[in-house]
Amino acid sequence: MENQDIKKAGLKITLPRVKILTLLEKHGGHLSAEDVYKILLDEGEEIGLATVYRVLTQFESAGLVVRQNFEGGQSVFEIDSGTHHDHLVCIKCGKVEEFLDATIEKRQEAIAKKFGFTIKDHALVIYGCCDKAECNLE
Amino acid sequence: MENQDIKKAGLKITLPRVKILTLLEKHGGHLSAEDVYKILLDEGEEIGLATVYRVLTQFESAGLVVRQNFEGGQSVFEIDSGTHHDHLVCIKCGKVEEFLDATIEKRQEAIAKKFGFTIKDHALVIYGCCDKAECNLE
DNA sequence: AATGATAATGAGAAGATTTCTCATTATCAC
DNA sequence: GTGATAATGAGAAATCTTCTCATTATCATT
Ligand SMILES: [Mn+2]
Ligand SMILES: [Mn+2]
Ligand SMILES: [Zn+2]
Ligand SMILES: [Zn+2]
């Protein structure tokens, strides 16, 4: 239940928070704050854009959602599944695929060690064209 | 010589373009448009911020510089060395290290193939703390 | 070297995304 | 239920970047 997750994060259970978290869970994908705001509007919810941004940031701090900074300006958010993964993004249609490659993850550790870095986070995004016909024209 | 690179890109050789390209070459690092603007100001050059943004974008299109989108809002630019590389970024002091790992590069191809993607580009950024004393407190 | 068509510049406006402020409202421990 | 406190929503504002347009510089051609 979303409510318990919100409570565990030390946040009060409010309608905007429940709606936003439920939406992210149902949608399952990668949504920008604007996306969330518009979908909620379509669903008849009167939740302010500032609240959407504020709540998404709080959820990120609480570990409920993960922020991804793909190219294109806007951050996108997804439910924190608990297991890290990286992304493939189609530059034509926006499709996003997720992957986790143990070899790549291990190599990163070796590289960090070599340079004396302690890894806190990383982001690997592969941009390309997916296999849909309309994404392969030229 | 910078001038030939600018000419080859189909751009007129102007003072702002020469100054910006020379600065990036001399500095060697990863500079934001604002960084470039301020350094040029300090050097007594009267180059507008809009021109800096415009020229950096043109240089990117021409393949003279590469844009990197690290976390933190601003894009940073570096001279296109001709050889792709990825980055380690210290979240404490901002230090940037570059690396190229053949294993990681190969695995990406395999992953893209598996998902039916044709890779156009990719970005791997490892965020962490570098080995400087002041970057390791806690 | 002067001319002129055209491209480039710089200042400020404007666009885009995100955060902040603050008066009002909702939550929840008591 | 009451009240202390947290959350919300609207709009202002901050931040980064692009656009507009009048002015200026470049450079191929004389
Ligand atoms: Mn994902
Ligand atoms: Mn680099
Ligand atoms: Zn596609
Ligand atoms: Zn450091």
Side-chain angles (χ1 to χ4, degrees):
Chain A
M1 192 53 181
E2 304 82 26
N3 294 16
Q4 295 318 305
D5 293 330
I6 295 172
K7 187 170 281 180
K8 272 185 229 159
L11 301 168
K12 287 188 178 172
I13 297 167
T14 63
L15 198 114
R17 286 180 179 147
V18 174
K19 292 289 179 190
I20 291 169
L21 194 52
T22 302
L23 170 58
L24 285 171
E25 283 174 347
K26 276 188 187 151
H27 187 279
H30 305 79
L31 298 175
S32 68
E34 189 91 31
D35 290 336
V36 170
Y37 174 69
K38 284 182 177 161
I39 293 172
L40 290 175
L41 264 192
D42 287 347
E43 293 179 355
E45 302 295 338
E46 301 268 322
I47 296 174
L49 182 57
T51 300
V52 175
Y53 273 104
R54 198 190 296 118
V55 168
L56 286 172
T57 301
Q58 291 164 338
F59 284 176
E60 184 191 16
S61 298
L64 296 178
V65 308
V66 179
R67 178 193 304 258
Q68 307 292 347
N69 292 297
F70 300 155
E71 282 178 11
Q74 298 186 190
S75 292
V76 296
F77 300 82
E78 63 178 323
I79 289 290
D80 187 345
S81 63
T83 55
H84 160 77
H85 59 257
D86 291 299
H87 298 90
L88 273 157
V89 178
C90 177
I91 57 179
K92 295 280 177 59
C93 72
K95 182 173 158 187
V96 177
E97 295 278 5
E98 306 181 334
F99 68 89
L100 177 61
D101 188 272
T103 305
I104 290 178
E105 300 291 321
K106 277 205 200 75
R107 290 297 305 150
Q108 292 182 60
E109 278 298 341
I111 292 158
K113 189 172 203 173
K114 177 177 156 192
F115 284 96
F117 272 63
T118 306
I119 297 181
K120 288 284 187 284
D121 193 15
H122 75 263
L124 169 56
V125 186
I126 301 175
Y127 299 96
C129 297
C130 77
D131 55 9
K132 277 187 280 200
E134 66 267 34
C135 295
N136 279 304
L137 312 171
E138 198 265 347
Chain B
M1 191 55 179
E2 304 83 25
N3 294 16
Q4 296 317 305
D5 293 331
I6 295 172
K7 187 170 281 182
K8 272 185 229 161
L11 301 169
K12 288 189 178 173
I13 297 166
T14 63
L15 199 115
R17 287 181 179 146
V18 174
K19 292 289 179 191
I20 292 169
L21 194 53
T22 303
L23 170 58
L24 285 171
E25 282 174 347
K26 277 189 185 150
H27 187 279
H30 305 78
L31 298 175
S32 68
E34 189 92 32
D35 290 336
V36 170
Y37 174 69
K38 283 182 178 161
I39 293 172
L40 289 174
L41 264 191
D42 287 347
E43 293 180 354
E45 303 295 339
E46 301 267 323
I47 295 174
L49 181 57
T51 299
V52 174
Y53 272 104
R54 198 190 295 119
V55 168
L56 286 172
T57 301
Q58 292 165 337
F59 284 176
E60 184 190 15
S61 298
L64 297 178
V65 309
V66 178
R67 179 194 303 257
Q68 307 293 346
N69 292 298
F70 300 156
E71 281 178 11
Q74 299 185 194
S75 291
V76 297
F77 300 83
E78 62 178 325
I79 289 289
D80 187 345
S81 63
T83 55
H84 161 77
H85 59 257
D86 290 301
H87 299 89
L88 274 158
V89 178
C90 177
I91 56 179
K92 294 282 176 58
C93 73
K95 181 173 158 186
V96 177
E97 296 279 6
E98 306 181 333
F99 67 88
L100 177 61
D101 188 272
T103 304
I104 291 177
E105 300 290 322
K106 277 205 200 76
R107 289 298 304 151
Q108 291 182 59
E109 278 298 341
I111 292 159
K113 190 172 203 174
K114 176 176 157 191
F115 284 95
F117 272 63
T118 306
I119 297 181
K120 288 283 187 284
D121 193 16
H122 75 263
L124 169 55
V125 186
I126 302 175
Y127 299 95
C129 296
C130 77
D131 55 10
K132 276 188 281 201
E134 66 266 33
C135 295
N136 279 303
L137 312 170
E138 198 266 344

